[in-house]
Amino acid sequence: MTQPVAPTAESSALSVELSAMPLALTLVESHCAATLRQRSATLLKRHLGLALAECLYIDGSGRWLGRDGDEGQFDCGDFHHPYAHVIRSGKPLTLSVADARIRLDHPGFQSQVASLGSALHLHVRPLRGVEGTREWLGVMLLAGTPARLLALTEDPGMAAFEALLCRLWMRLAREQGERHRSRILQDSLAKLNDGTRRQALADQLAEDLLGQSAAMQALRRHIVRAAETNLAVLLQGETGTGKDRVARAMHQLSARANGPFMAINCAAIPEALLESELFGHGKGAFSGADHAREGLISQADGGTLFLDEIGDMPLALQAKLLRVLESGRYRPLGENEERCADLRVVAATHQPLREQIKEQRFRADLYYRLGQFPITLPPLNERRDDIAQLAQSFITDFCAREGRDEMGITPAALRLLYRRDYPGNVRELKNVIDYACAMTPHGADIDTYVLPGEQDSQLADSGLDDMVAPAEEMPLALPGDIDDLRQTMRDIESTIIRQRLRLFGGNRAQAAQSLGLPKRTLAHKCQLLELDIK
């Protein structure tokens, strides 16, 4: 493809031009490899009168040649363009534009040289980081007259220019790689620190929002993320799942923690009074308004406003609330001047708002404005692993509130609690525990007969443990003639412990928990009874 052309006088000043100090400084001052490539191409084209000069770079995969400015890329294995020939051979290539248009049909390459005259020639040079290595940087494309291109290939100034370009390119590429790795490391450390901080806050929430189930751990993480924003939060879930506690926890973790937390149940206040409660009113606004009153929106300024049972808010009031959310402005009843409030709204409902929207009982625009950060609270039936911890917490609260001595709960009673349905969720469980605590005699633990709905004599007399015990446990056969009660009790205890260990595959912690015993106590009993618990 190469067509030799005799040197001409037009190359006599090339060495001086290409090695001039200002040109070298222009390249050295480049702050990134892309700028270096662009400046190099501009200098070659401007000072040497070339029709085209461009530097293409090999990407990190080594498969693609890219052009600065997102102007397309070339596959290094596609020989429909000249760059693949140069990369594969490692040698420069010169050909006429006319030949290139006939022999090379790559669309991107043809578009690149479309504006060039057929009399011009193309010269493609491979660029490496350090001479003698296989570390490719890219290729250089030059277009000009045959005489000018031949002069360039033989000119020492061009060789010096190319060497400087490759050295600077290599250095900038390495610096950019180091900066990239440094950013990745910093981002990783920042994410790690953020993750550690968020996990610490989520663990802190576990003191108030009890439960170690996967559903509760996920809920606490969502609360932490929501607290970091100023977005409106919509809490959805069945009744009794603790939406009010979640709202307060979110406020305490937010940047508004030092501000007020104001709450209102939209279903508990008559429609005629709800607007006054929220927006306040001026003196004489309606009959009986003998003095002005600040509404909850005003009182929540700088803090959080919790709107419980938002699904029961009247449509007319929904429109006014939407304006507060969008502009922060509101007008008390009976007043002409608007006021401003800076607050974060947390709303909650157990109602299906999407169905209410279809029935035109709830505004769609308010729903989407409230639901900037939606959170769904899990029902108790989806977190049964938390029942034991919740029950013990409610027992402790009852004893402290009523001045009762500490009490526990028997394994049989706990098994019944696990098997119950809880349409009222955590609130229902608390009511069950409070009732059972009140019915339990002093000095005793909560047992099955004091649980509401479980006093049926048939259940109590027919062996309740058999009904609720796991299927893997066989009922105990008591001997007809007992002449040593102590030994008989030891045998029964030994049998029960053996069955429970076998049920849990030898896991002492689970067996102890199912029997209502500390793990250390179970281990001591196994030692006394000479049971193998390994």
Side-chain angles (χ1 to χ4, degrees):
M1 292 183 181
T2 305
Q3 298 182 8
V5 179
T8 64
E10 59 183 328
S11 65
S12 58
L14 291 181
S15 296
V16 177
E17 291 178 353
L18 289 175
S19 60
M21 185 62 69
L23 301 187
L25 288 176
T26 300
L27 298 185
V28 171
E29 291 173 353
S30 301
H31 64 278
C32 68
T35 302
L36 174 68
R37 291 189 293 267
Q38 293 169 357
R39 288 181 176 178
S40 299
T42 300
L43 290 175
L44 289 172
K45 187 176 179 181
R46 179 186 302 166
H47 287 271
L48 302 182
L50 298 173
L52 176 65
E54 185 174 351
C55 293
L56 291 79
Y57 63 92
I58 295 181
D59 72 352
S61 69
R63 180 182 173 184
W64 298 96
L65 271 169
R67 301 177 65 193
D68 293 313
D70 294 329
E71 299 182 17
Q73 57 185 8
F74 298 87
D75 188 344
C76 293
D78 183 359
F79 288 89
H80 290 84
H81 58 78
Y83 309 124
H85 295 274
V86 172
I87 292 295
R88 295 299 178 181
S89 66
K91 298 178 181 180
L93 174 66
T94 302
L95 71 161
S96 69
V97 173
D99 285 345
R101 287 174 176 163
I102 296 174
R103 300 173 60 182
L104 301 172
D105 58 357
H106 189 280
F109 175 71
Q110 291 298 333
S111 174
Q112 194 177 9
V113 300
S115 61
L116 300 177
S118 299
L120 297 178
H121 276 56
L122 301 174
H123 183 65
V124 186
R125 299 185 62 82
L127 299 176
R128 285 179 175 170
V130 180
E131 187 176 353
T133 68
R134 296 290 297 176
E135 192 166 2
W136 290 100
L137 296 173
V139 298
M140 178 188 294
L141 171 65
L142 305 175
T145 63
R148 176 52 60 98
L149 293 179
L150 179 61
L152 284 178
T153 59
E154 297 180 351
D155 189 274
M158 183 63 187
F161 180 88
E162 183 178 318
L164 177 62
L165 169 62
C166 290
R167 287 185 178 274
L168 292 176
W169 189 341
M170 192 70 180
R171 188 197 71 190
L172 291 172
R174 287 175 177 171
E175 290 178 355
Q176 184 176 359
E178 291 175 359
R179 288 195 296 269
H180 179 65
R181 288 190 292 272
S182 178
R183 283 197 300 270
I184 291 177
L185 178 60
Q186 291 176 359
D187 291 344
S188 298
L189 291 175
K191 290 179 180 178
L192 179 62
N193 291 336
D194 283 345
T196 302
R197 177 182 58 81
R198 288 176 179 141
Q199 187 58 51
L201 292 175
D203 293 341
Q204 177 183 330
L205 281 178
E207 300 177 3
D208 187 48
L209 303 177
L210 301 178
Q212 294 303 318
S213 62
M216 282 304 295
Q217 294 184 37
L219 173 63
R220 289 194 289 265
R221 289 194 296 269
H222 284 137
I223 294 172
V224 171
R225 298 302 289 267
E228 295 175 344
T229 74
N230 201 39
L231 299 175
V233 177
L234 179 60
L235 303 177
Q236 294 178 288
E238 298 178 6
T239 182
T241 50
K243 293 184 283 291
D244 54 341
R245 297 178 73 91
V246 169
R248 290 182 183 276
M250 195 178 306
H251 171 73
Q252 291 300 324
L253 290 182
S254 72
R256 299 175 177 270
N258 294 328
F261 178 87
M262 307 304 297
I264 185 172
N265 189 320
C266 300
I269 299 177
E271 180 178 344
L273 298 179
L274 184 57
E275 183 175 1
S276 175
E277 288 290 325
L278 284 174
F279 295 90
H281 61 260
K283 183 178 180 180
F286 50 84
S287 177
D290 298 330
H291 54 81
R293 179 183 178 185
E294 296 289 331
L296 292 179
I297 293 176
S298 175
Q299 296 177 49
D301 188 21
T304 302
L305 175 63
F306 176 48
L307 302 174
D308 198 6
E309 299 300 345
I310 188 69
D312 291 303
M313 178 176 284
L315 278 171
L317 201 52
Q318 291 178 26
K320 296 183 178 181
L321 176 62
L322 179 63
R323 186 168 186 271
V324 176
L325 291 171
E326 292 179 340
S327 66
R329 305 184 68 84
Y330 69 99
R331 180 180 299 161
L333 289 174
E335 293 193 4
N336 297 323
E337 294 184 1
E338 287 189 336
R339 300 184 186 182
C340 294
D342 174 26
L343 51 82
R344 196 252 189 96
V345 172
V346 178
T349 182
H350 71 281
Q351 300 185 21
L353 293 185
R354 289 184 178 274
E355 294 184 8
Q356 287 190 298
I357 292 173
K358 294 178 181 179
E359 298 170 0
Q360 297 185 346
R361 292 190 292 119
F362 199 86
R363 295 179 62 104
D365 47 6
L366 178 60
Y367 171 76
Y368 292 116
R369 187 60 179 79
L370 288 172
Q372 291 178 323
F373 201 119
I375 297 178
T376 300
L377 278 65
L380 186 57
N381 289 334
E382 294 181 5
R383 42 179 296 222
R384 290 184 177 274
D385 292 345
D386 298 332
I387 289 178
Q389 184 182 6
L390 290 168
Q392 190 56 59
S393 175
F394 295 148
I395 293 171
T396 302
D397 290 344
F398 178 89
C399 293
R401 185 173 65 250
E402 301 294 333
R404 292 278 300 270
D405 294 335
E406 292 184 6
M407 70 177 74
I409 183 169
T410 65
L414 192 58
R415 286 197 297 271
L416 277 182
L417 291 179
Y418 274 115
R419 292 176 179 272
R420 290 176 69 114
D421 287 328
Y422 293 95
N425 294 289
V426 179
R427 183 184 294 120
E428 179 179 347
L429 175 62
K430 183 180 185 303
N431 292 341
V432 169
I433 294 299
D434 284 347
Y435 177 86
C437 288
M439 296 299 294
T440 299
H442 287 270
D445 292 335
I446 294 176
D447 209 339
T448 57
Y449 68 91
V450 297
L451 294 177
E454 303 296 342
Q455 299 95 331
D456 194 312
S457 59
Q458 181 179 359
L459 293 178
D461 296 337
S462 64
L464 182 62
D465 286 350
D466 290 345
M467 186 184 72
V468 300
E472 294 86 348
E473 291 190 32
M474 299 297 295
L476 295 174
L478 298 179
D481 297 327
I482 299 176
D483 54 8
D484 189 339
L485 179 60
R486 182 173 299 178
Q487 182 60 43
T488 301
M489 294 300 295
R490 285 171 57 86
D491 293 341
I492 293 174
E493 188 175 31
S494 175
T495 302
I496 293 174
I497 293 176
R498 285 182 186 278
Q499 290 178 349
R500 202 56 59 92
L501 286 171
R502 188 163 52 251
L503 173 63
F504 291 104
N507 189 309
R508 287 172 288 175
Q510 293 181 357
Q513 182 180 8
S514 70
L515 292 170
L517 296 174
K519 182 179 175 181
R520 184 175 299 177
T521 301
L522 178 63
H524 180 65
K525 287 181 176 292
C526 290
Q527 183 178 6
L528 292 177
L529 297 172
E530 299 181 353
L531 297 178
D532 182 14
I533 60 172
K534 295 181 180 180

